[in-house]
């Protein structure tokens, strides 16, 4: 019995060593928590900054849209039919008599086509993702798609082409 | 580890636990105290706000993409009562820049925030960009001004402005009769009135959406984008519209007419190239509506005013008779100067007898007696069947607000008499609108196919442009009949040496002079004068309808409306790039 007790005591950690281990474990957990919190804070701060930037840019988009509307309307006003008639009169132009017109056939001439303000409904714009898939898929998916699936792809043996 | 250390650990742990429990209890308590709902509401106030977003109203373009109705930025100026420090300066600046009353503005600026729940007061709306720029310059000047120690710095703090759009019509009153107007002064209940603005109000306005705007930048991607209203591309050509309105205004002045209407229509697809009426309103100042249109003046006579067309209607009687086989162009009618129909005598416009006339002669001299006879030869049943197939018993369905039609009196109706067959044959006792006339006459110019008149060419919705397809609404006559009648009308105009002729171009057309019914019967002193014509006769590309009401210079359509038609066509062929017939034949032969 005594022998057994001595044996256990011989292999038992010293109390100060146990304390150090506990402190080490605690600090490790603390560092891990701090690291995770730091990463979280960093990401959330950056995303908040990006979100704020989006808000600012959206306001800017609204302002630009309004400005485009303004300028389009102003352009239409200064080139309106009434304004053009005034200019015509100021420049002493006269209305064209149809019989004064000389008509020439110009090969390849394309007459004015209809106004196209937007694509027709059957023409779908080819959408290209803003973010590459590498930034949106998980690491697991990326490994599966790019490593394992590649290794599973059968090797194509190039055959000799007989002419 | 000894017992005494454990005790210390337990004490520290107990304190931490007590604090944590205290925090949890406090959290639960705050959730349930009487003012909890207020605190929650306040927190939601700081998280974001909900507003109704009204999409930008869709724009309106002519067929070549020239803007006819758009939106421009304007500003609302108000007082943020919480942030006002210098009411006198605000009142002074507002009165000098915005021309507001000083004392009234000062009284508003001195209201304490929260009084009667007021935190914001609108001072002025639809303020121009120039005025806002003045305010910005003054504000910047105040902020940068150096003041002495005991001097008070003037401040515009609390005077705020926000941008919004308002409807704008850069062409002024051009095409206003068909565009209508939008009551932009009413920012929440505004709507389109008349024309396109009313007919397409829902599409142009888009759908207002309740939008929650969050201050949380993390949730910015949840924001909903409100699509603008649909934009419309019209069939009208701004240059043709302007030319038509100029010619019409000159014609009304020259003829002394009370009002006038000119419609130019493409019979091949039913598109309206221009539609001019008098009077016209500048839609930028739509509040003048009552002054410009005293009751019962219609906003757009072309769709909202019916009248007895007179002899111009004879083209349909002749078309029906030719198509129904009642007459041929060579049929001879011996005109004795009158005819009895249903016991009532019918006379010619000059009360004269014109002797033997073929059908072309009847049209050329516009003989009422001959056309009444033609109608009786066709028979009432067939005559009215044709008239209905030309669409005179219903609206055309043109895509503009306010279209009307006068009910067609038919055999069997209480108010129909046998003599009506005769009077209707030359356009009396029957009322039509100009747009009905152009649709029906379009069938004569388009090989018998009658196209639905329309003003919208395409729509831009959610980034896609949708074309409006032409619609055939009927085939009232055969293609051969349309060709025959066109040839007859070309001949009659040429033989008459009509002032409607256009040098170099063969035109088919017919004049109209209509007596006006009054409560005392028909009066010959004042008339409706009109002309309908289309060309080039061998390949009609346009149809022009002219109507001048009660001209004073002459009562005859051949003297008033016909020269207006000629002037319109001589300018129209240049704008449409249509060469004279000889040149066209040469090009076609090559």
């Amino acid at each position: 019995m005594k022998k057994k007790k001595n044996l256990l005591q011989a292999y038992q950690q010293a109390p100060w060593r146990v304390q150090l281990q506990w402190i080490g474990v605690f600090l490790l957990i603390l560092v891990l928590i701090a690291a995770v919190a730091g990463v979280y804070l960093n990401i959330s701060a950056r995303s908040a900054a990006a979100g704020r930037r989006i808000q600012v840019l959206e306001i800017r988009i609204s302002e630009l849209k309004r400005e485009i509307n303004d300028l389009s309307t102003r352009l239409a006003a200064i080139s309106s039919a009434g304004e053009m008639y005034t200019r015509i009169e100021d420049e002493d132009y006269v209305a064209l008599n149809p019989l004064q017109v000389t008509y020439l056939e110009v090969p390849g001439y394309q007459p004015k086509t209809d106004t196209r303000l937007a694509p027709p409904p059957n023409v779908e714009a080819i959408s290209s993702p803003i973010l590459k898939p590498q930034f949106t898929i998980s690491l697991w998916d990326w490994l599966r798609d790019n490593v394992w699936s590649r290794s599973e792809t059968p090797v194509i043996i190039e055959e000799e082409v007989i002419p | 580890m000894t017992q005494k250390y454990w005790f210390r650990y337990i004490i520290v742990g107990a304190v931490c636990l007590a604090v944590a429990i205290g925090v949890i209890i406090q959290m639960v308590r705050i959730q349930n105290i009487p003012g909890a709902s207020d605190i929650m509401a306040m927190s939601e106030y700081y998280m974001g706000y909900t507003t109704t977003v009204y999409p930008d109203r869709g724009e309106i373009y002519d067929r070549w993409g020239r803007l006819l109705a758009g939106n421009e930025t304007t500003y609302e100026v108000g007082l943020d009562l919480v942030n006002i420090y210098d009411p006198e300066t605000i009142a002074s600046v507002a009165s000098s820049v915005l021309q507001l009353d000083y004392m009234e503005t000062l009284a508003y600026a001195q209201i304490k925030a929260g009084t009667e729940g007021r935190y914001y007061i609108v001072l002025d709306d639809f303020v121009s960009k120039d005025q806002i720029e003045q305010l910005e310059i003054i504000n910047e000047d105040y902020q940068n001004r150096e003041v002495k120690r005991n001097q008070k710095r003037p401040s515009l703090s609390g005077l705020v402005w926000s941008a919004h759009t308002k409807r704008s019509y850069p062409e002024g009153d051009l095409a206003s009769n068909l565009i209508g107007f939008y009551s932009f002064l009413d920012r929440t209940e505004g709507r389109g009135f008349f024309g396109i603005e009313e007919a397409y109000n829902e599409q142009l306005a888009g759908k207002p959406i309740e939008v929650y705007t969050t201050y949380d930048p993390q949730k910015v991607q949840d924001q909903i984008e409100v699509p603008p209203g649909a934009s419309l591309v019209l069939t009208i050509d701004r240059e043709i519209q302007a030319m038509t309105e100029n010619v019409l205004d000159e014609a009304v002045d020259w003829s002394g007419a009370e009002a006038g209407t000119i419609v130019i229509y493409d019979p091949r697809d039913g598109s309206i190239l221009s539609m001019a009426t008098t009077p016209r309103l500048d839609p930028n100042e739509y509040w003048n509506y009552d002054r410009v249109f005293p009751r019962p003046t219609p906003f757009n006579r072309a769709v909202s005013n019916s009248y007895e067309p007179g002899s111009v209607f004879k083209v349909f009687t002749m078309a029906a008779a030719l198509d129904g086989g009642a007459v041929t162009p060579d049929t001879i009618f011996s005109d004795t100067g009158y005819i009895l129909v249903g016991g009532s005598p019918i006379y010619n416009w000059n009360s004269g007898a014109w002797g033997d006339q073929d059908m072309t002669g009847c049209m050329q001299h516009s003989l009422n007696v001959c056309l009444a006879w033609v109608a009786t030869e066709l028979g009432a049943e067939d005559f009215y069947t044709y008239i209905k197939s030309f669409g005179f018993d219903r609206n055309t369905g043109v895509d503009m607000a306010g279209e009307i039609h006068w009910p067609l009196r038919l055999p069997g109706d209480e108010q129909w008499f046998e003599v009506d067959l005769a009077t209707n044959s030359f356009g009396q006792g029957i009322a039509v609108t100009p747009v009905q006339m152009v649709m029906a006459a379009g069938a004569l110019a388009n090989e018998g196919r009658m196209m639905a008149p329309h003003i919208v060419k395409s729509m831009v919705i959610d980034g896609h442009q949708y074309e409006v397809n032409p619609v055939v609404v009927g085939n009232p006559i055969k293609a051969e009949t349309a060709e025959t009648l066109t040839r007859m009308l070309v001949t009659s105009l040429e033989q008459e040496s009509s002032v409607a002729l256009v040098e170099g171009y063969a035109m088919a057309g017919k004049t109209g002079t209509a007596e006006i019914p009054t409560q005392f019967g028909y009066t010959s002193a004042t008339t409706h004068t009109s002309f309908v014509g289309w060309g080039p006769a061998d390949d009609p590309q346009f149809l022009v309808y002219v109507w001048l009401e009660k001209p004073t210079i002459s009562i005859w359509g051949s003297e008033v409306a016909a020269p207006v038609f000629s002037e319109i066509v001589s300018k129209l062929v240049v704008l449409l790039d249509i060469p004279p017939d000889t040149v066209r034949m040469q090009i076609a032969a090559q």
Side-chain angles (χ1 to χ4, degrees):
Chain A
M1 191 67 183
K2 190 178 178 185
K3 189 178 177 184
K4 187 181 176 184
K5 190 179 176 185
N6 289 339
L7 193 65
L8 284 172
Q9 196 169 2
Y11 287 95
Q12 201 171 31
Q13 296 271 16
W16 63 270
R17 201 179 275 268
V18 172
Q19 277 183 344
L20 272 182
Q21 283 171 350
W22 275 108
I23 290 167
V25 169
F26 178 76
L27 285 177
L28 185 66
I29 292 169
L30 206 64
V31 166
L32 277 175
I33 291 170
V36 170
V39 169
Y40 175 79
L41 276 175
N42 180 275
I43 289 171
S44 60
R46 281 164 57 191
S47 67
R52 181 75 191 121
R53 177 107 179 103
I54 289 170
Q55 284 176 330
V56 169
L57 290 175
E58 276 177 351
I59 292 168
R60 183 75 186 128
I61 287 171
S62 302
E63 286 172 359
L64 286 173
K65 277 182 183 171
R66 277 203 303 271
E67 200 172 334
I68 289 168
N69 279 340
D70 269 351
L71 291 173
S72 302
T73 311
R74 202 179 302 170
L75 178 65
I78 59 178
S79 59
S80 65
E83 287 291 322
M84 299 309 278
Y85 269 97
T86 308
R87 282 196 225 172
I88 286 167
E89 283 171 9
D90 291 346
E91 300 288 331
D92 290 333
Y93 283 94
V94 291
L96 193 64
N97 182 317
L99 296 178
Q100 294 172 320
V101 182
T102 304
Y103 287 91
L104 294 172
E105 193 180 1
V106 181
Y109 168 73
Q110 294 292 325
K112 276 199 287 190
T113 52
D114 287 346
T115 302
R116 184 61 53 203
L117 299 174
N122 54 344
V123 178
E124 288 297 332
I126 300 164
S127 60
S128 57
I130 297 170
L131 291 175
K132 290 181 177 177
Q134 287 90 326
F135 294 98
T136 54
I137 60 173
S138 67
L139 181 62
W140 175 256
D141 290 338
W142 185 84
L143 287 171
R144 190 189 59 201
D145 293 347
N146 293 279
V147 180
W148 287 308
S149 63
R150 195 168 288 175
S151 64
E152 287 168 8
T153 309
V155 179
I156 299 168
I157 301 165
E158 287 185 21
E159 291 180 1
E160 191 180 351
V161 178
I162 301 166
Chain B
M1 210 172 287
T2 59
Q3 192 66 33
K4 67 177 180 184
Y5 292 126
W6 276 114
F7 180 73
R8 289 178 188 175
Y9 289 140
I10 287 166
I11 293 294
V12 171
V15 169
C16 289
L17 190 65
V19 170
I21 290 170
V23 168
I24 291 166
I25 289 171
Q26 184 68 354
M27 283 170 65
V28 173
R29 195 184 69 82
I30 288 172
Q31 299 277 339
N32 295 289
I33 59 172
S37 57
D38 294 341
I39 295 170
M40 290 297 289
M42 198 177 290
S43 71
E44 280 176 13
Y45 173 78
Y46 288 114
M47 282 164 66
Y49 59 94
T50 302
T51 47
T52 304
V53 176
Y54 295 90
D56 282 344
R57 195 168 175 83
E59 286 148 344
I60 301 174
Y61 300 88
D62 86 336
R63 64 164 48 219
W64 304 120
R66 287 172 289 218
L67 190 69
L68 300 174
N71 302 300
E72 64 177 322
T73 306
T74 186
Y75 294 84
E76 178 185 287
V77 177
L79 294 174
D80 176 12
L81 298 177
V82 178
N83 293 311
I84 291 177
Y85 304 115
D86 189 354
E88 291 80 12
T89 302
I90 287 175
S92 171
V93 170
S95 68
S96 64
V97 177
L98 306 176
Q99 284 79 51
L100 299 177
D101 182 70
Y102 176 85
M103 293 307 293
E104 193 180 357
T105 310
L106 182 63
Y108 285 136
Q110 287 174 332
I111 293 173
K112 195 180 171 191
T115 309
E116 297 172 0
R118 299 169 90 179
Y119 292 91
Y120 177 79
I121 293 171
V122 177
L123 275 185
D124 200 2
D125 204 354
F126 299 99
V127 176
S128 71
K129 200 172 184 178
D130 292 342
Q131 288 173 307
I132 293 300
E133 281 171 0
Q134 285 183 51
L135 289 177
E136 283 171 342
I137 290 168
I138 293 169
N139 192 32
E140 200 177 328
D141 176 48
Y142 286 166
Q143 285 176 351
N144 297 329
R145 186 177 290 184
E146 289 183 5
V147 289
K148 292 174 185 170
R149 181 167 293 176
N150 295 327
Q151 202 175 3
K152 185 184 171 190
R153 181 193 294 274
S155 170
L156 289 184
S157 173
L159 183 68
V160 293
W161 47 86
S162 58
H164 63 88
T165 55
K166 89 171 175 96
R167 200 62 161 161
S168 176
Y169 302 88
E171 296 282 350
D173 68 356
L174 184 95
S176 62
N177 55 298
L178 58 93
I179 293 174
F181 59 80
Y182 175 70
S183 57
F184 54 80
L185 288 182
D186 188 343
R187 284 176 58 193
T188 52
E189 301 290 324
R191 69 176 184 89
F193 288 87
F194 304 108
I196 294 297
E197 290 278 23
E198 182 174 334
Y200 288 90
N201 185 54
E202 279 188 24
Q203 289 88 342
L204 287 164
K207 285 183 184 164
I209 297 176
E210 290 270 322
V211 175
Y212 178 73
T213 305
T214 175
Y215 295 127
D216 183 355
Q218 305 278 7
K219 294 179 180 170
V220 71
Q221 286 177 315
D222 298 341
Q223 294 293 298
I224 300 166
E225 195 168 331
V226 182
S231 288
L232 305 177
V233 178
L234 304 188
T235 57
I236 68 161
D237 180 323
R238 187 192 74 172
E239 303 304 335
I240 296 175
Q241 180 71 28
M243 177 274 289
T244 309
E245 289 183 3
N246 286 342
V247 171
L248 176 64
D249 292 347
E250 285 170 13
V252 168
D253 278 350
W254 160 75
S255 67
E258 270 188 10
T261 299
I262 298 176
V263 182
I264 303 178
Y265 169 87
D266 186 338
R268 296 168 297 180
D269 62 5
S271 56
I272 292 168
L273 299 175
S274 76
M275 179 181 274
T277 66
T278 59
R280 288 186 298 278
L281 170 76
D282 181 351
N284 292 305
E285 298 171 357
Y286 67 86
W287 43 90
N288 293 326
Y289 170 76
D290 286 336
R291 187 176 56 76
V292 178
F293 294 95
R295 286 176 189 278
T297 311
F299 191 82
N300 183 355
R301 290 168 192 274
V303 297
S304 306
N305 203 9
S306 61
Y307 71 106
E308 295 193 18
S311 299
V312 75
F313 198 79
K314 286 171 182 164
V315 294
F316 304 111
T317 304
M318 186 56 73
L322 290 171
D323 200 69
V327 295
T328 67
D330 301 323
T331 301
I332 299 296
F333 172 70
S334 189
D335 183 15
T336 56
Y338 84 99
I339 186 171
L340 278 174
V341 180
S344 299
I346 300 294
Y347 300 97
N348 286 320
W349 55 273
N350 64 348
S351 304
W354 290 74
D356 288 350
Q357 295 287 336
D358 63 9
M359 291 301 109
T360 304
C362 286
M363 296 300 283
Q364 181 185 333
H365 305 303
S366 197
L367 303 180
N368 295 347
V369 173
C370 176
L371 268 295
W373 172 78
V374 167
T376 55
E377 286 295 297
L378 181 63
E381 191 181 336
D382 284 351
F383 175 78
Y384 287 105
T385 301
Y386 273 106
I387 295 306
K388 284 196 286 185
S389 67
F390 275 115
F392 288 111
D393 63 335
R394 59 186 184 272
N395 285 351
T396 64
V398 67
D399 43 355
M400 280 185 275
E403 189 188 7
I404 60 146
H405 77 274
W406 189 262
L408 185 64
R409 284 182 298 170
L410 298 169
D413 291 349
E414 256 184 43
Q415 293 187 329
W416 187 86
F417 302 98
E418 202 178 335
V419 70
D420 285 338
L421 174 64
T423 56
N424 290 173
S425 72
F426 51 87
Q428 298 279 181
I430 186 170
V432 300
T433 59
V435 74
Q436 279 182 309
M437 287 295 287
V438 295
M439 183 180 82
L444 310 179
N446 189 38
E447 299 176 338
R449 273 191 308 276
M450 193 163 70
M451 308 301 294
H454 63 278
I455 198 83
V456 171
K457 193 169 188 304
S458 60
M459 280 189 207
V460 180
I461 304 170
D462 292 338
H464 291 299
Q465 187 160 347
Y466 297 83
E467 296 293 325
V468 175
N469 292 321
V471 176
V472 179
V473 286
N475 291 274
I477 55 169
K478 295 185 280 287
E480 306 84 65
T481 309
E483 195 182 330
T484 303
L485 184 66
T486 298
R487 273 204 311 272
M488 286 169 66
L489 293 174
V490 171
T491 306
S492 73
L493 276 189
E494 287 173 352
Q495 286 180 351
E496 192 189 352
S497 299
S498 169
V499 288
L501 291 172
V502 180
E503 195 177 350
Y505 296 84
M507 291 288 140
K510 179 75 189 80
T511 56
T513 304
E515 294 180 337
I516 299 173
T518 67
Q519 56 182 331
F520 307 110
Y522 283 92
T523 169
S524 295
T526 54
T527 57
H528 286 305
T529 61
S530 52
F531 193 96
V532 64
W534 55 93
D538 60 315
D539 178 25
Q541 296 175 40
F542 59 83
L543 183 147
V544 179
Y545 187 68
V546 179
W547 168 32
L548 293 166
E549 296 176 47
K550 302 179 184 175
T552 54
I553 195 169
S554 166
I555 61 166
W556 302 111
S558 57
E559 293 175 356
V560 180
V564 177
F565 171 82
S566 175
E567 191 179 353
I568 287 275
V569 172
S570 64
K571 293 179 174 176
L572 184 63
V573 290
V574 176
L575 292 171
L576 288 177
D577 290 333
I578 301 174
D581 293 346
T582 50
V583 177
R584 234 168 7 90
M585 300 299 176
Q586 283 171 8
I587 293 171
Q590 284 172 2

